[in-house]
């Protein structure tokens, strides 16, 4: 059985806890009715899920190099720079990368600050992992772009932290 914190149409986390002591389970992070993660992939909810959310909160504003009106172009430019040989461009691109542990094996995820109260997140499924994550089999292959309020993300994180301490 999965539980839900938040609103999938804005921002939410859908999760199940398999081991309360180690706060280990499965989760999907929802932005505007689209999710990142898999309910078939076990993760450390504290280190991977919450850790990735903390990383999102610390992301910088988008560098002028990536200032495009098209989110697909932003994603592709960051992705290309992440793979390039230029150390400065590589490091700049990595400053937007978000790591959610094993989820990051399936998705490329980038985030940046739009203002003091809002952020943006871009992601793309890069590995369908048919044998491991059934909920990703029919996942769209497009680049997703969503904006969100940091206060909504912080509220979800606070509720997850509260669950963690209720052991």
């Amino acid at each position: 059985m999965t539980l839900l914190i938040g609103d999938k149409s804005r921002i939410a986390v859908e999760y199940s806890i398999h081991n309360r002591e180690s706060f280990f389970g499965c989760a999907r992070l929802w932005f505007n009715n689209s999710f990142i993660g898999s309910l078939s992939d076990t993760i450390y909810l504290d280190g991977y899920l919450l850790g990735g959310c903390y990383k999102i909160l610390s992301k910088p504003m988008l560098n002028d190099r990536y200032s495009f009106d098209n989110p697909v172009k932003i994603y592709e430019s960051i992705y290309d720079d992440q793979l390039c040989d230029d150390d400065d461009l590589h490091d700049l691109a990595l400053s937007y990368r978000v790591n959610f542990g094993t989820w990051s094996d399936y998705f490329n995820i980038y985030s940046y600050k739009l203002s003091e109260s809002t952020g943006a997140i871009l992601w793309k499924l890069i590995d369908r992992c048919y044998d491991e994550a059934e909920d990703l089999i029919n996942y769209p292959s497009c680049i997703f772009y969503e904006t969100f309020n940091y206060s909504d993300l912080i509220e979800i994180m606070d509720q997850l932290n509260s669950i963690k301490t209720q052991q």
Side-chain angles (χ1 to χ4, degrees):
M1 175 180 78
T2 62
L3 302 170
L4 184 70
I5 298 171
D7 178 351
K8 289 181 183 181
S9 69
R10 290 178 51 203
I11 186 171
V13 65
E14 180 181 14
Y15 69 97
S16 63
I17 298 173
H18 299 164
N19 182 317
R20 187 166 291 282
E21 184 177 302
S22 62
F23 208 45
F24 190 74
C26 297
R28 295 193 292 200
L29 190 57
W30 290 84
F31 293 92
N32 194 25
N33 292 312
S34 299
F35 68 88
I36 303 170
S38 172
L39 294 176
S40 300
D41 182 24
T42 53
I43 63 169
Y44 289 101
L45 299 171
D46 189 15
Y48 290 169
L49 177 60
L50 282 168
C53 290
Y54 282 115
K55 294 284 187 197
I56 288 172
L57 294 174
S58 70
K59 293 301 176 186
M61 298 284 276
L62 197 60
N63 184 284
D64 288 343
R65 177 173 177 77
Y66 308 118
S67 292
F68 304 107
D69 290 334
N70 182 336
V72 172
K73 180 74 173 152
I74 295 169
Y75 175 95
E76 289 172 346
S77 297
I78 293 172
Y79 179 78
D80 289 345
D81 283 356
Q82 183 181 316
L83 300 177
C84 79
D85 291 334
D86 182 312
D87 288 342
D88 291 335
L89 291 179
H90 175 80
D91 290 346
L92 177 62
L94 284 182
S95 72
Y96 301 105
R97 177 104 164 120
V98 179
N99 187 332
F100 282 103
T102 57
W103 287 358
S104 299
D105 296 342
Y106 307 134
F107 297 91
N108 273 338
I109 307 165
Y110 305 108
S111 186
Y112 54 91
K113 182 184 290 192
L114 293 171
S115 72
E116 289 304 312
S117 61
T118 58
I121 188 162
L122 300 129
W123 74 92
K124 181 178 181 180
L125 179 71
I126 58 170
D127 182 0
R128 293 217 175 265
C129 52
Y130 294 115
D131 297 336
E132 299 169 26
E134 293 175 6
D135 52 349
L136 298 179
I137 291 172
N138 295 314
Y139 198 91
S141 59
C142 64
I143 294 168
F144 290 85
Y145 169 81
E146 299 297 339
T147 61
F148 59 94
N149 290 322
Y150 287 127
S151 59
D152 292 337
L153 180 60
I154 290 168
E155 184 176 322
I156 287 169
M157 294 167 62
D158 287 347
Q159 288 185 41
L160 279 171
N161 274 316
S162 175
I163 292 165
K164 177 180 71 173
T165 58
Q166 291 175 2
Q167 298 182 40

